[in-house]
Amino acid sequence: MANIIDGKAVSAQVKEDIRQEVEQLKAKGIEIGLAVVIVGDDPASQVYVKNKEKACETVGFNSYKYALPAETTEEELLALVDKLNKDDKVDGILVQLPLPKHLDDKIIINNIRPDKDVDAFHPVNVGKIMIGDYSFLPCTPAGVMELIKSTGTDVAGKECVVIGRSNIVGKPQAMLLLHQNGTVTITHSKTKNLKEVCARADILVAAVGRAKMVKADYIKEGAVVIDVGMNRDENGKLCGDVDFEDCKEKAGYITPVPGGVGPMTIAMLMKNTLTAGKEHHGVN
Ligand code: GUN
């Protein structure tokens, strides 16, 4: 039986470290604020936004929520982003995605000040991640790195396989593994012999969005298996990209869904917001 990686516990520790630092900053009169913008009434987005507000409360940040109607125009949303860019109380800005279809994610993200872009989605921040000179970590991939670290695994020299090549997870994940000297392969829907490629991995990160796609024959005995997927199975139950029941005997370490990567993403968002706040206040 694999060791199950407890994302809730690891994320609680990350948030506790942040809370203590925030307390010290408050003693010096420094407060940190995160603005979260949600457009429309997508139920999943509403849950994510509520969890982000809760996390702000836990660590001691001020959170400013802007819930805008689905009919909000691009002009109106850009006007809000501009206002938040200029607001000294706001250290981080997060526009919850997906936006309604008539709004272009790219245009909105490109207008967030890069030093307030705590998602690390702005092209300037994406570029910095590429060259390894970054202050903001892409939240989900950074959370995955924390989980790998919690297993005591040294990434250097390991075979790392990432399933999925999204801009939000797959590509930045590969960069973070590479920065830690992993030997990294990115796989995707056109990859030949996917099963065999995955079975070479000492560290396998699944971020493909297909329920229970990764079976025991995709993994090497003793591998670290990190599941970024968040899907519904045939019974409507939350599940990952990895078939947990099938893989749990063979993996060395494995994340559950829920309770694995999910809580880490928000913890890393808090970390980025702290970094932004410290930078804005000239604190190291
Ligand atoms: N929607 C789903 N995940 C995310 C995320 O990490 N950031 C933003 N802004 N929107 C999301």
Side-chain angles (χ1 to χ4, degrees), residues 48 52 94-98 119 121 139-140 168 265:
Y48 287 135
K52 286 166 187 171
L94 180 140
V95 177
Q96 187 65 29
L97 303 177
D119 265 322
F121 289 168
C139 298
T140 299
I168 292 182
T265 298

Side-chain angles (χ1 to χ4, degrees), residues 2 25 258 284:
L25 290 172
N284 288 315

Side-chain angles (χ1 to χ4, degrees), residues 217-277:
D217 54 357
Y218 281 64
I219 63 174
K220 179 169 154 179
E221 189 90 41
V224 176
V225 178
I226 309 283
D227 190 352
V228 181
M230 188 67 84
N231 315 294
R232 298 270 167 195
D233 70 9
E234 59 283 4
N235 304 313
K237 206 172 148 233
L238 210 56
C239 71
D241 294 343
V242 176
D243 188 332
F244 183 87
E245 287 305 313
D246 202 43
C247 296
K248 69 180 185 198
E249 301 301 330
K250 200 170 177 190
Y253 292 88
I254 190 166
T255 57
V257 175
V261 174
M264 290 307 297
T265 298
I266 293 185
M268 301 322 281
L269 172 71
M270 299 296 111
K271 199 164 176 178
N272 283 345
T273 307
L274 176 64
T275 302

Side-chain angles (χ1 to χ4, degrees), residues 28 34 54 79 139 154 169 172 175 191 269:
K28 295 184 196 157
L34 174 66
K54 245 194 260 172
C139 298
D154 183 7
V169 185
M175 281 302 132
T191 297
L269 172 71

Side-chain angles (χ1 to χ4, degrees), residues 9 21 28 34 38 40 43 49 84 89 97 101 106 155 173 183 211 228 234 236 258 261 272 282:
E21 218 177 320
K28 295 184 196 157
L34 174 66
I38 177 168
V49 166
L84 297 172
K89 290 200 296 298
L97 303 177
K101 287 208 169 23
K106 216 192 283 180
V155 176
Q173 187 69 67
T183 302
V228 181
E234 59 283 4
V261 174
N272 283 345

